[in-house]
Amino acid sequence: MSEAQELRRDVAHLGHIELFSPKPAESLRFFCDVLSMQEVAREGQSVYLRAWGEYERYSLKLTEAPQAGLAHTAFRAWSSQALERLVKTIEASGLGKGWIDGDLGHGKAYQFTDPDGHLLELYYDTEKYQAPDALRPALKNQPQRTPDYGIGVRRLDHINFLARHPASNRAFMQQHMGAMLTEEIMLDDGTEAGTWLTFTNKAYDVVYTMDATGSSGRLHHIAYWVDNREDVLRAADIYLEHGIPIEFAPGKHAIAQGFFIYVHEPGGNRIELATGSYLIFDPDWQPVIWSQAERAKGQAWGTPTVASFHTYGTPPAPIPEDH
Amino acid sequence: MSEAQELRRDVAHLGHIELFSPKPAESLRFFCDVLSMQEVAREGQSVYLRAWGEYERYSLKLTEAPQAGLAHTAFRAWSSQALERLVKTIEASGLGKGWIDGDLGHGKAYQFTDPDGHLLELYYDTEKYQAPDALRPALKNQPQRTPDYGIGVRRLDHINFLARHPASNRAFMQQHMGAMLTEEIMLDDGTEAGTWLTFTNKAYDVVYTMDATGSSGRLHHIAYWVDNREDVLRAADIYLEHGIPIEFAPGKHAIAQGFFIYVHEPGGNRIELATGSYLIFDPDWQPVIWSQAERAKGQAWGTPTVASFHTYGTPPAPIPEDH
Amino acid sequence: MSEAQELRRDVAHLGHIELFSPKPAESLRFFCDVLSMQEVAREGQSVYLRAWGEYERYSLKLTEAPQAGLAHTAFRAWSSQALERLVKTIEASGLGKGWIDGDLGHGKAYQFTDPDGHLLELYYDTEKYQAPDALRPALKNQPQRTPDYGIGVRRLDHINFLARHPASNRAFMQQHMGAMLTEEIMLDDGTEAGTWLTFTNKAYDVVYTMDATGSSGRLHHIAYWVDNREDVLRAADIYLEHGIPIEFAPGKHAIAQGFFIYVHEPGGNRIELATGSYLIFDPDWQPVIWSQAERAKGQAWGTPTVASFHTYGTPPAPIPEDH
Amino acid sequence: MSEAQELRRDVAHLGHIELFSPKPAESLRFFCDVLSMQEVAREGQSVYLRAWGEYERYSLKLTEAPQAGLAHTAFRAWSSQALERLVKTIEASGLGKGWIDGDLGHGKAYQFTDPDGHLLELYYDTEKYQAPDALRPALKNQPQRTPDYGIGVRRLDHINFLARHPASNRAFMQQHMGAMLTEEIMLDDGTEAGTWLTFTNKAYDVVYTMDATGSSGRLHHIAYWVDNREDVLRAADIYLEHGIPIEFAPGKHAIAQGFFIYVHEPGGNRIELATGSYLIFDPDWQPVIWSQAERAKGQAWGTPTVASFHTYGTPPAPIPEDH
């Protein structure tokens, strides 16, 4: 069995994301007041936030910094043994950086980067969230009371990295993290312009999108999940009333068929609210390849992708003149 | 042309309702925090509340009183002339009480009762709501910012009166207020057990339900409108988290096909959230008559009507032993 | 009282529309198979179609013709007396054409045009639909069984006429048909670029949109109603599977806040599926005026209006070079 | 590592179910016309059916038999190696029956029973569905065109077995199939009255419910998935128009929080349409235990569970007098 097969599902799920924001107070209000996320701790320049349906203590670490962008992305391993296996192969890849003590909420973590330079982490030991009395849910099979204000995102859903070469990052995740490629865009010249990868039954947990600016290490977006398509429409109205410009109004993606809405949080990072899509139960799923022509058709219902979606990311980067 | 035909549509719409509550502070929190209604004024023992989509200043006047129940129900006339016509015929019915100065938000009103003794009012001059800056909507064609907390009821929808004899009240509304009968329940012995009446294109604005306790002047429920069926389901979860017992969980009525959920607000009055149903454009609508057997089938999808729905109302009244 | 006030609500509702189609067989399949409409009769070059929730026999007459476009639009009067009043004032306007025998499903009708030349009709006597046994509904308060195939449009909702001068047509409808202006777009130079009018509690039944081609008598679109926003999203997927190009993917209008999707039926006429919006109960509604700058902001959530929406209509007309 | 840990996720997913029906033609019409399932083959007394979103050839084998009930339930293994591991431990349990040649659509399968006597199967080799031209989807990342008639169930979701002793079956699935217990009902005397188990990220794939009749090997229900809660409400109306009695109208379960509707298909087997619920990403999920008192509270929004839900199953069995 290949390394990839041994590792397949050694990663349990996308755990948490640390975002940089040059407007931390405004970003915080966005995540807390509009997305209904809960502040669980503060430390130094960082605030730790959770969504109501998450079992771990937090999924978002918001850190003040001069520029917006992605600080690090962490994945939880399936078990201690799975963590060991993953670390061993990542070390062998040459992209490992080493063990660090755990951060708030989780135990020791192994740091590494993907080929594009995004800082990643793997951990296993984690702290399960315990709701304080005021946030006790009516139904005991959820971690926390469902918020009755704001959009009420349930959980972190996925991350979309911008990268110079999605292909090498896709390969890294497959070979060294056991990810499964579910869908991708292949241009006429063979370039993989976008790759969708999963560690779970979800159609995707991680995406690599070609960075039109030629930069490395940038973020396209992070996504939080809401349960129904009507929740995405309701979110659009909430964004509108909050004066938050909507970059890409509610629609359905062709790729992975998610129903989406995109905005930029006040610090500049692009945030998606997602639902729909589909689950994959087939252990031998064959990736769906979209051609350049198919991609040019736009979203599922023919809506052209907004121009900024192809170039904007964080931190900001100049768009080449020939774009 | 009969009196009813002349008056047809002289009433523009159900305007506002005054409820009594023995727990005014808790009732207020229910309407404001859970239903997202807005307090616009206080006067004496009363608080005036509006829903975000209403053009008048308020639709609910909440008044402290020893018992829950219905204080009065007010309808807006189509015009001054329409008001005059209505008052003239009501005076002739013998049920008129006389003119009163307007209350907060509206001009002079003519007071009367229906045959069952419910206190009613007709007015025409009214104050249009002007949102303060903090509540300015993003879209100028709505009176107020859409709330992003609570259930976010859009507007008052209808009232359901308990009465000893729905038939005589139905006849009064038809003959002296120009109401149109849209649907009704006729028992095998010819008794009208429930009558649904409209002044608008809505399938109903007013209902008379037979009071199983034999009392007069009681209230079955008032209803506020939400836009989508998913909003009713979401409301159920909000009620659950707020610890508000759900009397009748979300379902679809056979009569007028509304999608509903019922609770008792803390003061005891039954409150419905409603959506769905249908609009009637036919000026010559023939009422739909449901037989006793048809009524016994329960709600649209076969759910039995909860027992308390047949007996509970406000103010409380003892249920006869033979019920 | 002005003529307009006397006539106010003398029109009960938009009754039916006759569309021309150069591809009658394909158009028929679109309306029947995709929109789930029911064929009730054929006569000559025309097929008569109804939506399941309509009380009259049909709302759409589909007539074979060399070009797509609008044959005529019919409105039902509130009563015989209302019809008389309307006819009298229309005759006085000079735009009357005369009485005609009724068409299938309705009695004698008075023909006239609006200032732009669209052929209009008013009638009162109408035939109420009686479902054949196979289409008997489970719930007796609807005319027909809810379809379980296709999109299942409930009823005709509104018509949007293209016109050289929306203002004069808006004035005609107000003065000679008792319509109420609810919203409009006023360009910086005072031109009314779009006017939304109602005869009912709906935010609009009729729209006049400026024809960018300078033509007269053309159609922008007709709209059918579905109950929930999710039904519009579902319709998008149904259109996609049927290979029907989606001109304007699901979104929310700023004006009247309807939730929409637009396609061209096979004959070329633009068809909208609509839901949402709001009801107007205020008899003294003040029209909402949108400025040119406000209009340029696009739809409710910022989506730009698709370019063809500004120029395409039926019958086809050349777009001026300077557009 | 324990046997359970080694096997954890060796089962990929619930594959297909074979139901017995004494009314095969009527059952077939139910699944095909109402649930929109597709017939893919017939063989002997059996018809093979698929839902549009499934990657394998079918999920339901409908077999004519004198009584309704469950013929067999099949699970797909994650890999050939996983299948080997599973078979080894099941053989050791004493409940193995042996290998059989594959049925239509899948390769060799290992037959066994659970402690209650339900006939189960494990396979790995399977046939991927290839849509014929007429069923080609518009979006290439789904196996088949989305149906535009009927309810349009996407995929098989779960099975609920009736059993004398849920506990021993729960233990068997955990120890010999690597299932994870997610939620359960524990009566005051320690009896496990219901156990919810998963092989995937779904909150459950398999349920064992105590059989109130004391019988063995019966079926409580099978469930198909629809995407939105509005789809469940729409399904209720479709059932209504088709004259299919609704056993348990749409509502929300407390356990696993699924949104449901239950009917009996014409042969008598109980069929659920399900959506909502939640996904579990935690590899160390601690089962949620509901007490007898908590269970008595009814469904999530307080609706009592319909009485037949506690006793009815297939094949029919007499309800003990003391129940």
Side-chain angles (χ1 to χ4, degrees), chain C residues 33 136-139 142 144-146 148-150 228 230-231 234 238 240-242, chain D residues 33 136-139 142 144-146 148-150 228 230-231 234 238 240-242:
Chain C
D33 298 351
R136 280 277 170 78
L139 295 174
Q142 59 186 69
Q144 176 181 352
R145 181 177 163 123
T146 319
D148 66 355
Y149 61 93
N228 299 279
E230 180 56 39
D231 295 320
R234 191 175 150 264
I238 290 176
L240 189 63
E241 291 292 15
H242 277 265
Chain D
D33 298 351
R136 280 274 171 78
L139 294 174
Q142 62 186 67
Q144 177 182 350
R145 181 178 162 125
T146 319
D148 66 355
Y149 61 93
N228 299 279
E230 181 57 39
D231 295 319
R234 192 175 149 262
I238 290 176
L240 190 62
E241 292 290 15
H242 277 264

Side-chain angles (χ1 to χ4, degrees), chain D residues 112-172:
Chain D
F112 57 107
T113 72
D114 61 17
D116 201 63
H118 299 97
L119 182 59
L120 308 177
E121 249 177 55
L122 278 162
Y123 66 93
Y124 169 67
D125 289 315
T126 192
E127 193 182 323
K128 307 287 177 87
Y129 176 72
Q130 293 296 338
D133 285 351
L135 293 176
R136 280 274 171 78
L139 294 174
K140 64 197 292 188
N141 54 359
Q142 62 186 67
Q144 177 182 350
R145 181 178 162 125
T146 319
D148 66 355
Y149 61 93
I151 293 168
V153 297
R154 180 190 275 269
R155 58 171 171 80
L156 180 63
D157 190 76
H158 65 265
I159 183 164
N160 186 320
F161 299 106
L162 286 168
R164 293 189 73 185
H165 302 293
S168 51
N169 293 277
R170 181 265 306 148
F172 173 79

Side-chain angles (χ1 to χ4, degrees), chain A residues 138 145-146 148 150 234 241-242, chain B residues 145-146 148 150 234 241-242:
Chain A
R145 181 177 161 124
T146 319
D148 65 357
R234 191 177 149 261
E241 292 290 16
H242 277 265
Chain B
R145 183 179 160 122
T146 319
D148 66 355
R234 190 175 152 264
E241 292 290 15
H242 277 265

Side-chain angles (χ1 to χ4, degrees), chain C residues 35 54 103 130 134-135 179 181 193 203 214 253 284 287 308 313:
Chain C
L35 263 51
E54 293 166 340
D103 190 2
Q130 293 297 336
L135 293 176
L181 177 69
H253 285 306
D284 314 311
S308 55

